[in-house]
């Protein structure tokens, strides 16, 4: 299974010329924790609510006049759509980040987060539990007998 199989493909994006205030409003309206700043379909950086909060705390910072471009870093990590999930987890872990844009030929095609991976693992564990439960008579008993064996 590849990253693109579990990545969110409905990614909230913004233009780098958008004001910081507009980006904050967009994040609030979309009920997300961040968005990807894109230029011509290619991700430039991932801006989170935490990044914006820290910027807004600076004295003299004018969120209405400052373009979000001014907050962007130089070195954004992206994950290739074809990368395996375990390789992506390792990459995110090595860089100490929880989410990254997913790209294909340099273009944004999704967003992967550790939360997405946890949800996938939970669903897979539930399927394993169901398979064990359906094939074992001990799990088909009800009440205290279920726990006592």
């Amino acid at each position: 299974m590849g990253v693109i199989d579990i990545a969110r493909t409905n990614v909230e994006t913004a233009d780098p010329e958008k004001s910081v205030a507009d980006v904050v409003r967009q994040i609030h309206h979309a009920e997300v924790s961040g968005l990807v700043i894109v230029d011509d379909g290619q991700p430039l950086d991932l801006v989170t609510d935490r990044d914006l909060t820290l910027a807004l705390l600076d004295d003299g910072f004018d969120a209405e006049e400052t373009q979000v471009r001014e907050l962007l870093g130089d070195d954004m990590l992206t994950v290739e759509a074809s990368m395996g999930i375990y390789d992506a987890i390792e990459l995110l872990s090595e860089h100490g980040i929880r989410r990254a844009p997913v790209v294909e030929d340099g273009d944004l095609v999704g967003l992967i987060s550790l939360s997405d991976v946890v949800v996938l693992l939970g669903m897979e564990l539930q399927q394993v539990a169901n398979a064990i439960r359906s094939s074992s008579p001990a799990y088909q008993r009800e009440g205290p007998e279920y726990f006592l064996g």
Side-chain angles (χ1 to χ4, degrees):
M1 181 178 291
V3 167
I4 196 63
D5 295 318
I6 67 165
R8 297 166 193 235
T9 55
N10 57 340
V11 181
E12 197 69 29
T13 63
D15 196 61
E17 283 76 33
K18 203 169 204 181
S19 76
V20 170
D22 285 340
V23 169
V24 169
R25 285 188 277 272
Q26 183 178 349
I27 286 173
H28 175 70
H29 178 71
E31 297 180 346
V32 294
S33 61
L35 47 80
V36 180
I37 307 301
V38 297
D39 189 18
D40 197 28
Q42 298 193 341
L44 300 177
D45 205 352
L46 177 66
V47 177
T48 66
D49 50 4
R50 182 179 188 279
D51 299 328
L52 297 169
T53 299
L54 294 175
L56 293 169
L57 290 175
D58 283 347
D59 286 339
F61 185 83
D62 186 347
E64 293 291 350
E65 295 298 320
T66 305
Q67 291 182 340
V68 73
R69 171 185 301 283
E70 295 180 37
L71 302 181
L72 304 184
D74 295 330
D75 192 25
M76 182 193 59
L77 177 76
T78 59
V79 174
E80 288 293 326
S82 61
M83 182 179 273
I85 293 173
Y86 294 110
D87 291 332
I89 293 169
E90 186 175 351
L91 184 64
L92 294 176
S93 179
E94 286 173 4
H95 288 87
I97 59 175
R98 295 173 34 201
R99 63 185 70 83
V102 178
V103 296
E104 192 169 62
D105 298 325
D107 291 330
L108 180 68
V109 293
L111 183 72
I112 184 73
S113 74
L114 292 181
S115 298
D116 299 327
V117 175
V118 169
V119 168
L120 172 69
L121 291 174
M123 292 182 337
E124 288 184 352
L125 285 173
Q126 183 63 50
Q127 288 178 345
V128 169
N130 289 342
I132 291 170
R133 194 175 295 120
S134 68
S135 66
S136 175
Y139 290 105
Q140 294 172 6
R141 292 186 293 226
E142 293 185 24
E145 296 174 20
Y146 172 82
F147 297 103
L148 298 175

